[in-house]
Amino acid sequence: MAWYLLAKWFHIFGVCGMVGTTLCNGLLHRMALQAPNAAARQTTLSQILLLNRWVMAPSFVALIGGGLAMVSALSLPALPGWLSTSMVLTAVLVLAFIVGYGLEHRLWRLAGQPDTEHRYRRVFLLAVPVGLLATLLSGVVIYLMIRKAG
């Protein structure tokens, strides 16, 4: 039972890191859009990339590793529907993270180049739905987890 509780702790830690970083990304992107110059914009975008690398990615590892360890500890004969749905949505979240990270890296590169405002805005408009999808899916997965726990 101690193994299960440790896995649950890592899983919850991962959820908190993922959701917190997702929300911070949105706020920092807003700041980047309002930055007074290209250097300030690029600095803000570099902070987003660092957050994703040092907080979001390890949070996904903790979330997924903890979740798989809990499922393994329960020895379920079949996965309940809420759990299967959560696992699929988490896989979509990981895909959104990978796509979003690539878009954020492109934004960072564009912010440092002269006369790229139009391209920057175009890439930003591609990144917005990815971020909104990640936020929405995070909320759905958390709802499924809380509803199951309750």
Side-chain angles (χ1 to χ4, degrees):
M1 191 54 138
W3 174 250
Y4 178 84
L5 292 176
L6 182 63
K8 189 174 187 178
W9 187 87
F10 272 98
H11 188 69
I12 292 170
F13 178 77
V15 169
C16 292
M18 180 202 58
V19 171
T21 306
T22 299
L23 296 175
C24 285
N25 278 349
L27 294 172
L28 288 170
H29 273 294
R30 174 82 176 175
M31 290 173 61
L33 274 177
Q34 296 174 342
N37 56 50
R41 178 179 283 174
Q42 194 170 38
T43 299
T44 303
L45 291 166
S46 70
Q47 298 307 308
I48 292 171
L49 293 172
L50 284 173
L51 265 174
N52 285 335
R53 190 176 310 126
W54 294 105
V55 179
M56 179 78 85
S59 293
F60 270 120
V61 171
L63 183 146
I64 294 167
L68 292 175
M70 286 190 303
V71 168
S72 174
L74 291 175
S75 302
L76 299 172
L79 294 178
W82 68 270
L83 185 55
S84 299
T85 302
S86 295
M87 291 171 85
V88 168
L89 293 178
T90 300
V92 173
L93 276 170
V94 170
L95 180 61
F97 169 71
I98 293 167
V99 170
Y101 190 85
L103 290 170
E104 288 165 345
H105 196 267
R106 281 178 57 195
L107 288 170
W108 174 78
R109 277 196 329 255
L110 287 170
Q113 298 173 4
D115 301 324
T116 58
E117 185 64 27
H118 176 70
R119 287 192 303 169
Y120 180 90
R121 297 241 179 224
R122 194 174 67 222
V123 173
F124 179 79
L125 290 175
L126 291 173
V128 167
V130 175
L132 291 175
L133 175 68
T135 304
L136 177 68
L137 290 180
S138 297
V140 171
V141 171
I142 291 169
Y143 170 78
L144 290 170
M145 296 296 158
I146 291 172
R147 185 162 179 234
K148 170 57 183 138

